[in-house]
Amino acid sequence: MTKTALITGASGGIGYEFAQELAADGYNLVLVARSTAKLEEIQTNLTQKYPITVKVLAKDLSLPESVPAIFNQLESEKIVVDILINNAGFGNFGEFTASEWQKEADMLQVNIFALTHLTKLFVKGMVARRQGKILNVASTAAFMPGPLMAVYYATKSYVLSFSEAIANELQGTGVSVTVLCPGPTESGFQAAAAMEGSKILIGQLPTSAEVAKYGYQAMQERKVVAVHGLNNWLLTIFAKFLPRKKLADIVRQAQAKAH
């Protein structure tokens, strides 16, 4: 029996690549993003290429009502979600004192509230069926304070802590939780966060496809914390042993824009 995966932030970047991975493995898909046109284009391409169904839901997750609307629609259509991939998220570059509150409020809504609410709504059915997988996309930012992206880093720390905690609670239920922690990745994230020119982006970045492939494999293996790339993994270990103030200084220097 074909299983179904729900992916948020599916219109580009890592979310788009997750859709490719799951479609190639024969999963039916529910794709969520704001752009109807992009979603329908992906829907057409995937259904022509693979014998699957692809449902698209154009929803803005910065609006609190979007999450129950997604859940209720799928419930009414009797679509069972076997895999939930909470990939939607965005950042904002700049000093906290100068940043726009509404963008940060929207970031909290998407990166934390929508992710948590979707998990809350869908995990109960997974537990009842004694099978399911949840993948939450965090970041290496989760392991450290992030001057110049203070709110974004804090949201990802939440995602990491939340995911580890519920992974522990769900042991023995047949439901797994994986938290994917990539470093800087080639995607539209940097442009959306207005952080082009940041020193942290200098050098060869992994592609969204590479990160999605790694995350998908980690989820299938039911890993809890999956840090993409050896250098990123070493960074998270290094971060544990540095004084927090020193760590914040290092992140600040790395994030500052090159002149």
Side-chain angles (χ1 to χ4, degrees):
M1 188 172 161
T2 305
K3 293 186 175 179
T4 299
L6 167 61
I7 306 169
T8 66
S11 61
I14 296 170
Y16 169 84
E17 298 297 346
F18 273 131
Q20 303 297 318
E21 290 287 329
L22 285 148
D25 249 5
Y27 285 89
N28 291 330
L29 300 176
V30 178
L31 305 181
V32 176
R34 288 180 298 177
S35 170
T36 305
K38 283 185 183 176
L39 288 175
E40 288 178 346
E41 182 183 341
I42 295 165
Q43 178 187 47
T44 300
N45 291 340
L46 290 178
T47 51
Q48 287 175 350
K49 196 173 178 182
Y50 303 106
I52 60 168
T53 64
V54 178
K55 182 174 183 62
V56 300
L57 295 174
K59 298 289 183 184
D60 182 350
L61 293 179
S62 69
L63 303 175
E65 61 268 24
S66 293
V67 170
I70 290 166
F71 179 77
N72 292 337
Q73 184 169 343
L74 298 182
E75 282 274 287
S76 70
E77 296 178 21
K78 294 186 166 45
I79 295 173
V80 173
V81 172
D82 303 284
I83 292 177
L84 170 63
I85 298 183
N86 283 308
N87 166 75
F90 68 94
N92 189 31
F93 186 85
E95 293 190 2
F96 181 69
T97 53
S99 55
E100 180 192 339
W101 166 247
Q102 191 56 54
K103 188 163 187 180
E104 279 159 351
D106 290 347
M107 193 194 312
L108 291 167
Q109 183 64 44
V110 174
N111 295 13
I112 292 180
F113 285 94
L115 176 146
T116 308
H117 199 182
L118 283 165
T119 302
K120 185 83 165 178
L121 291 172
F122 285 103
V123 74
K124 292 182 181 180
M126 292 179 182
V127 170
R129 296 187 296 274
R130 298 200 63 79
Q131 62 173 10
K133 296 185 179 80
I134 297 167
L135 174 64
N136 293 328
V137 179
S139 165
T140 51
F143 296 87
M144 58 201 80
L148 302 181
M149 293 187 79
V151 176
Y152 173 76
Y153 273 57
T155 66
K156 293 305 181 178
S157 292
Y158 171 89
V159 174
L160 175 63
S161 178
F162 168 69
S163 301
E164 289 180 296
I166 62 169
N168 177 276
E169 290 182 13
L170 292 167
Q171 287 178 88
T173 65
V175 182
S176 64
V177 179
T178 299
V179 56
L180 174 63
C181 301
T185 303
E186 275 185 20
S187 70
F189 175 89
Q190 291 85 9
M195 63 182 299
E196 298 103 323
S198 170
K199 286 183 283 188
I200 206 168
L201 303 177
I202 294 171
Q204 184 68 37
L205 301 181
T207 65
S208 294
E210 289 167 342
V211 172
K213 188 177 290 291
Y214 170 80
Y216 180 63
Q217 190 62 39
M219 178 188 70
Q220 295 292 33
E221 293 171 3
R222 295 178 177 260
K223 284 185 181 176
V224 177
V225 180
V227 179
H228 177 259
L230 176 61
N231 288 343
N232 288 325
W233 180 78
L234 291 171
L235 175 67
T236 65
I237 300 300
F238 178 63
K240 292 176 183 177
F241 295 99
L242 271 182
R244 297 289 286 183
K245 184 178 184 303
K246 181 65 176 173
L247 186 57
D249 288 341
I250 291 170
V251 175
R252 171 71 184 261
Q253 290 167 13
Q255 296 232 111
K257 295 199 174 184
H259 295 295

